[in-house]
Amino acid sequence: QVTLKESGPGILKPSQTLSLTCSFSGFSLSTSGMGVGWIRQPSGKGLEWLAHIWWDDDKYYNPSLKSQLTISKDTSRNQVFLKITSVDTADTATYYCARRAGGRYDYWGQGTTLTVSS
Amino acid sequence: DIVMTQSPSSLSVSAGEKVTMSCKSSQSLLNSGNQKNYLAWYQQKPGQPPKLLIYGASTRESGVPDRFTGSGSGTDFTLTISSVQAEDLAVYYCQNDHSYPFTFGSGTKLEIK
């Protein structure tokens, strides 16, 4: 059974660094073809794809945020991390991680909410 | 970036009716090598994460009711619900699965009369 769960600080002040963790089970990121992505959604708004990491450590970022984003993984601990530097109020959102296999994001976590406020 | 445009932004139908919604991409989502279209549809119910319905433009994800059908190719795609049920109340998103960044459409909100 595939599950993913996001965790994060909940609240940050502007200019701080956001560190998110996606902890998963039911698959391994050492398996060829597996990947995990991060997607966010401001309350009441649409979905924004942020970043993706593959089993072979290949990484991709949304160009609009690339300078702020770092994605990484710990295969042995079944975790993927996303760091966003210099957050501001526009980064207030629910952050999801999702597994990518067979050419689609087939399993999603429940999301973790972030509020950026001074 | 590939821009995904969904229409309508919202629609209201009665249970049992047929619904179609559109998704257009600014560039072709067809992979000329394998002739597959890389377009996904998601359903997001209130307070829940998105749920994958359709991938490859027309392949239904396991467990998805067969009243959901995806069609289209290139830049024009459609999601059809043959007979809407009350539990289909949700926002439906399409996603470019062809090239990074994997952009999403702005969604179609389905309301049940």
Side-chain angles (χ1 to χ4, degrees):
Chain A
Q1 181 188 2
V2 173
T3 64
L4 302 98
K5 186 174 183 179
E6 307 86 348
S7 59
I11 187 164
L12 284 176
K13 296 183 186 301
S15 80
Q16 290 186 317
T17 295
L18 170 64
S19 294
L20 297 169
T21 299
C22 174
S23 301
F24 58 86
S25 63
F27 69 99
S28 174
L29 255 184
S30 62
T31 301
S32 177
M34 286 293 174
V36 171
W38 285 96
I39 301 98
R40 72 180 178 183
Q41 184 174 39
S43 180
K45 297 188 178 181
L47 300 163
E48 181 180 29
W49 181 87
L50 298 176
H52 185 91
I53 190 165
W54 289 104
W55 83 101
D56 59 358
D57 211 37
D58 205 5
K59 302 166 186 175
Y60 294 88
Y61 296 100
N62 189 320
S64 67
L65 294 160
K66 185 174 183 178
S67 63
Q68 293 179 263
L69 301 178
T70 304
I71 191 169
S72 60
K73 62 182 175 68
D74 185 332
T75 303
S76 64
R77 298 178 64 183
N78 284 347
Q79 291 181 318
V80 171
F81 312 100
L82 183 69
K83 185 179 295 186
I84 304 179
T85 59
S86 300
V87 298
D88 65 16
T89 55
D91 297 308
T92 294
T94 297
Y95 288 77
Y96 297 102
C97 63
R99 183 186 84 157
R100 190 167 183 88
R104 77 270 199 194
Y105 287 114
D106 56 355
Y107 288 91
W108 292 59
Q110 289 297 309
T112 184
T113 59
L114 171 71
T115 300
V116 180
S117 175
S118 56
Chain B
D1 297 3
I2 295 177
V3 177
M4 307 297 290
T5 303
Q6 290 188 245
S7 62
S9 57
S10 66
L11 66 165
S12 181
V13 300
S14 300
E17 288 188 21
K18 178 180 177 179
V19 162
T20 60
M21 58 189 76
S22 170
C23 174
K24 296 183 186 297
S25 58
S26 61
Q27 300 173 37
S28 177
L29 302 185
L30 176 66
N31 183 311
S32 56
N34 59 16
Q35 290 299 297
K36 291 185 178 180
N37 285 281
Y38 286 81
L39 184 282
W41 288 97
Y42 297 87
Q43 175 193 64
Q44 187 176 32
K45 296 182 178 180
Q48 296 185 19
K51 173 189 174 184
L52 177 66
L53 295 177
I54 303 284
Y55 64 97
S58 59
T59 302
R60 208 175 289 118
E61 179 70 353
S62 177
V64 172
D66 59 7
R67 65 180 181 272
F68 292 93
T69 301
S71 62
S73 182
T75 61
D76 290 349
F77 301 91
T78 300
L79 177 67
T80 301
I81 309 174
S82 60
S83 177
V84 169
Q85 306 299 304
E87 63 261 31
D88 299 335
L89 165 72
V91 179
Y92 293 83
Y93 294 97
C94 61
Q95 183 196 20
N96 146 43
D97 253 347
H98 181 275
S99 52
Y100 301 101
F102 289 151
T103 43
F104 290 88
S106 56
T108 292
K109 185 176 183 179
L110 177 62
E111 298 174 329
I112 312 299
K113 291 178 184 175

